[in-house]
Short mmCIF file of all heavy atoms in Angstrom, two decimals:
data_model
loop_
_atom_site.label_atom_id
_atom_site.label_comp_id
_atom_site.label_asym_id
_atom_site.label_seq_id
_atom_site.Cartn_x
_atom_site.Cartn_y
_atom_site.Cartn_z
N VAL A 18 35.17 41.23 -51.67
CA VAL A 18 36.20 40.20 -51.79
C VAL A 18 37.55 40.85 -52.21
O VAL A 18 38.61 40.45 -51.76
CB VAL A 18 35.77 39.11 -52.77
CG1 VAL A 18 36.90 38.17 -53.09
CG2 VAL A 18 34.60 38.35 -52.21
N GLN A 19 37.52 41.92 -52.98
CA GLN A 19 38.68 42.61 -53.40
C GLN A 19 39.36 43.32 -52.17
O GLN A 19 40.55 43.37 -52.00
CB GLN A 19 38.45 43.60 -54.48
CG GLN A 19 38.18 42.95 -55.80
CD GLN A 19 37.74 43.96 -56.90
OE1 GLN A 19 37.44 45.09 -56.57
NE2 GLN A 19 37.72 43.51 -58.09
N VAL A 20 38.47 43.86 -51.29
CA VAL A 20 38.97 44.58 -50.09
C VAL A 20 39.46 43.59 -49.08
O VAL A 20 40.41 43.82 -48.36
CB VAL A 20 37.81 45.43 -49.52
CG1 VAL A 20 38.20 46.00 -48.15
CG2 VAL A 20 37.41 46.52 -50.44
N CYS A 21 38.84 42.43 -48.94
CA CYS A 21 39.21 41.41 -47.98
C CYS A 21 39.47 40.10 -48.69
O CYS A 21 38.58 39.25 -48.83
CB CYS A 21 38.09 41.25 -46.98
SG CYS A 21 38.52 40.20 -45.61
N PRO A 22 40.69 39.89 -49.18
CA PRO A 22 40.99 38.69 -49.99
C PRO A 22 40.86 37.37 -49.26
O PRO A 22 40.84 36.33 -49.88
CB PRO A 22 42.42 38.91 -50.45
CG PRO A 22 42.83 40.27 -49.99
CD PRO A 22 41.81 40.81 -49.07
N ALA A 23 40.75 37.41 -47.93
CA ALA A 23 40.57 36.15 -47.18
C ALA A 23 39.17 35.58 -47.42
O ALA A 23 38.95 34.39 -47.18
CB ALA A 23 40.78 36.40 -45.68
N LEU A 24 38.26 36.40 -47.90
CA LEU A 24 36.86 35.96 -48.20
C LEU A 24 36.79 35.56 -49.63
O LEU A 24 37.47 36.06 -50.50
CB LEU A 24 35.89 37.08 -47.93
CG LEU A 24 35.85 37.62 -46.50
CD1 LEU A 24 34.90 38.83 -46.43
CD2 LEU A 24 35.39 36.53 -45.54
N THR A 25 35.84 34.65 -49.91
CA THR A 25 35.57 34.22 -51.31
C THR A 25 34.18 34.72 -51.65
O THR A 25 33.31 34.90 -50.77
CB THR A 25 35.64 32.74 -51.50
OG1 THR A 25 34.63 32.12 -50.71
CG2 THR A 25 37.02 32.17 -51.14
N GLU A 26 33.90 34.86 -52.93
CA GLU A 26 32.54 35.29 -53.36
C GLU A 26 31.52 34.25 -52.87
O GLU A 26 30.47 34.61 -52.38
CB GLU A 26 32.46 35.47 -54.87
CG GLU A 26 33.06 36.75 -55.35
CD GLU A 26 32.75 37.02 -56.81
OE1 GLU A 26 31.59 36.81 -57.26
OE2 GLU A 26 33.66 37.45 -57.51
N GLY A 27 31.84 33.01 -53.05
CA GLY A 27 30.87 31.94 -52.63
C GLY A 27 30.61 31.99 -51.15
O GLY A 27 29.51 31.78 -50.67
N GLY A 28 31.67 32.20 -50.35
CA GLY A 28 31.54 32.31 -48.91
C GLY A 28 30.69 33.47 -48.49
O GLY A 28 29.84 33.36 -47.61
N VAL A 29 30.91 34.61 -49.13
CA VAL A 29 30.12 35.79 -48.79
C VAL A 29 28.68 35.57 -49.22
O VAL A 29 27.74 35.93 -48.47
CB VAL A 29 30.71 37.06 -49.49
CG1 VAL A 29 29.79 38.26 -49.28
CG2 VAL A 29 32.10 37.36 -48.94
N ARG A 30 28.44 34.98 -50.35
CA ARG A 30 27.05 34.73 -50.80
C ARG A 30 26.34 33.75 -49.85
O ARG A 30 25.19 33.89 -49.57
CB ARG A 30 27.02 34.19 -52.23
CG ARG A 30 27.46 35.23 -53.23
CD ARG A 30 27.39 34.82 -54.69
NE ARG A 30 28.09 35.68 -55.55
CZ ARG A 30 27.72 36.89 -55.91
NH1 ARG A 30 26.58 37.37 -55.47
NH2 ARG A 30 28.46 37.62 -56.74
N ALA A 31 27.08 32.79 -49.29
CA ALA A 31 26.51 31.88 -48.28
C ALA A 31 26.13 32.63 -47.01
O ALA A 31 25.09 32.39 -46.44
CB ALA A 31 27.46 30.75 -47.95
N LEU A 32 27.01 33.56 -46.62
CA LEU A 32 26.68 34.42 -45.44
C LEU A 32 25.45 35.21 -45.71
O LEU A 32 24.61 35.41 -44.83
CB LEU A 32 27.87 35.33 -45.14
CG LEU A 32 29.11 34.68 -44.57
CD1 LEU A 32 30.25 35.72 -44.49
CD2 LEU A 32 28.82 34.11 -43.17
N ILE A 33 25.31 35.80 -46.92
CA ILE A 33 24.14 36.57 -47.30
C ILE A 33 22.90 35.71 -47.30
O ILE A 33 21.85 36.12 -46.77
CB ILE A 33 24.37 37.28 -48.67
CG1 ILE A 33 25.43 38.35 -48.53
CG2 ILE A 33 23.08 37.86 -49.19
CD1 ILE A 33 25.89 38.90 -49.86
N PHE A 34 22.98 34.52 -47.82
CA PHE A 34 21.83 33.60 -47.87
C PHE A 34 21.32 33.33 -46.44
O PHE A 34 20.10 33.19 -46.22
CB PHE A 34 22.23 32.32 -48.55
CG PHE A 34 21.08 31.37 -48.75
CD1 PHE A 34 20.13 31.56 -49.74
CD2 PHE A 34 20.94 30.26 -47.90
CE1 PHE A 34 19.06 30.67 -49.89
CE2 PHE A 34 19.89 29.40 -48.04
CZ PHE A 34 18.94 29.58 -49.04
N ASN A 35 22.22 33.21 -45.49
CA ASN A 35 21.88 32.90 -44.13
C ASN A 35 21.88 34.14 -43.19
O ASN A 35 22.01 33.99 -41.99
CB ASN A 35 22.85 31.81 -43.56
CG ASN A 35 22.70 30.51 -44.30
OD1 ASN A 35 21.61 29.92 -44.30
ND2 ASN A 35 23.77 30.09 -44.91
N ALA A 36 21.73 35.29 -43.78
CA ALA A 36 21.91 36.55 -43.03
C ALA A 36 20.95 36.70 -41.87
O ALA A 36 21.28 37.23 -40.83
CB ALA A 36 21.76 37.73 -43.96
N ASP A 37 19.72 36.17 -41.99
CA ASP A 37 18.77 36.27 -40.89
C ASP A 37 19.19 35.39 -39.67
O ASP A 37 18.88 35.71 -38.56
CB ASP A 37 17.37 35.85 -41.34
CG ASP A 37 16.79 36.86 -42.30
OD1 ASP A 37 17.12 38.05 -42.19
OD2 ASP A 37 15.97 36.49 -43.15
N ARG A 38 19.91 34.34 -39.95
CA ARG A 38 20.37 33.43 -38.88
C ARG A 38 21.68 33.83 -38.30
O ARG A 38 21.95 33.53 -37.10
CB ARG A 38 20.43 31.99 -39.39
CG ARG A 38 19.05 31.38 -39.51
CD ARG A 38 19.14 29.98 -39.98
NE ARG A 38 18.94 30.03 -41.46
CZ ARG A 38 19.18 29.10 -42.31
NH1 ARG A 38 19.62 27.95 -41.91
NH2 ARG A 38 18.93 29.26 -43.60
N ASN A 39 22.57 34.43 -39.08
CA ASN A 39 23.92 34.71 -38.60
C ASN A 39 24.11 36.19 -38.16
O ASN A 39 25.19 36.55 -37.75
CB ASN A 39 24.98 34.31 -39.61
CG ASN A 39 24.85 35.10 -40.92
OD1 ASN A 39 24.33 36.20 -40.96
ND2 ASN A 39 25.33 34.52 -41.98
N GLY A 40 23.05 36.99 -38.23
CA GLY A 40 23.14 38.38 -37.78
C GLY A 40 23.69 39.37 -38.81
O GLY A 40 23.90 40.52 -38.49
N LEU A 41 23.90 38.92 -40.02
CA LEU A 41 24.45 39.78 -41.06
C LEU A 41 23.42 40.73 -41.66
O LEU A 41 23.76 41.73 -42.28
CB LEU A 41 25.11 38.94 -42.16
CG LEU A 41 25.91 39.66 -43.24
CD1 LEU A 41 27.12 40.34 -42.64
CD2 LEU A 41 26.34 38.71 -44.33
#
């Protein structure tokens, strides 16, 4: 989030939670 300020911690954690579905 520090490297990419457009992202939020909550948003990244949501991406991680759904990583198997979103390809992350």
Side-chain angles (χ1 to χ4, degrees):
V18 171
Q19 289 173 348
V20 170
C21 187
L24 300 174
T25 63
E26 281 190 45
V29 173
R30 292 183 195 287
L32 289 171
I33 291 169
F34 183 79
N35 295 300
D37 290 331
R38 284 181 264 168
N39 62 25
L41 187 65

